Amino acid sequence: MNTELRTGLVDLFREAGQAHHAAFTATGGDDPEWPIWYADYLQRPFAEQLDMKFYKSQLIYCLMNADFEHQARSPESDWSEFYADQLLERCAPSETPEQDQLILYHANSCPFCSMVRANIERLGIDVELREIFEDEQYRDELIEARGRATVPVLRINSPNGDERWMPESRDIVAYLEKTLVSD
Ligand SMILES: N[C@@H](CCC(=O)N[C@@H](CS)C(=O)NCC(=O)O)C(=O)O
């Protein structure tokens, strides 16, 4: 994990939170369109920090997902740290894309997994496939890492020992396209 990058993202989320609070004092911070406001504020600094292009719609999607996961899994935790971890887990590019080992935890019967497998084939990327109903050990590995057996999940093992577990079929395909195919 790149701790400097993480700290930078946490600070940006905090700064955005304060700016949002200041902009919405009249409503006591209440803003039903908050993901749009945050995406506007964060689009450019995030692109600079992560050195990648972000569409506003992509950021809105990431922010809404982070909020959903935060409320469901860890509402007591610091939101800016939680959001930064979510963003890194789901959107950040790898520092060593050529050397990473990629493993897809999937199920043959899962339509989201089929979509990811079809894209892996289309892109011609080398990914080890682990079918969680064919081998109980794969299912156990997934549950141990993620706390649940929802598939697909892409596991990214970097040579420096970093291990990342990326859920969500659309995020996985976007990651593979951005990190391994485009320049
Ligand atoms: N939004 C997820 C949906 C994944 C999903 O719903 N997977 C189903 C199989 S098709 C699953 O694993 N369900 C069992 C569970 O969540 O434990 C994605 O796009 O990857």
Side-chain angles (χ1 to χ4, degrees), residues 51-104:
D51 194 23
M52 64 189 277
K53 191 177 160 138
F54 267 115
Y55 292 107
K56 213 169 281 174
S57 54
Q58 220 182 338
L59 262 183
I60 292 169
Y61 171 70
C62 278
L63 287 162
M64 292 180 75
N65 263 316
D67 182 51
F68 176 79
E69 293 280 334
H70 184 237
Q71 288 185 33
R73 284 166 45 193
S74 177
E76 317 290 293
S77 68
D78 180 291
W79 71 272
S80 38
E81 290 187 10
F82 189 94
Y83 281 30
D85 289 337
Q86 286 280 302
L87 192 77
L88 284 170
E89 182 182 72
R90 294 166 76 143
C91 306
S94 166
E95 285 167 29
T96 48
E98 306 299 332
Q99 294 133 52
D100 293 347
Q101 180 197 15
L102 301 175
I103 304 168
L104 183 74

Side-chain angles (χ1 to χ4, degrees), residues 112-148:
F112 300 99
C113 302
S114 309
M115 188 276 277
V116 175
R117 286 196 310 272
N119 276 285
I120 287 171
E121 207 164 304
R122 173 178 68 83
L123 298 167
I125 296 169
D126 193 17
V127 179
E128 180 187 331
L129 298 179
R130 296 194 175 171
E131 218 288 358
I132 61 162
F133 295 113
E134 281 177 1
D135 191 327
E136 209 174 306
Q137 193 192 320
Y138 296 158
R139 194 163 178 275
D140 292 346
E141 287 168 7
L142 182 60
I143 293 174
E144 191 178 336
R146 300 258 320 135
R148 54 182 143 166

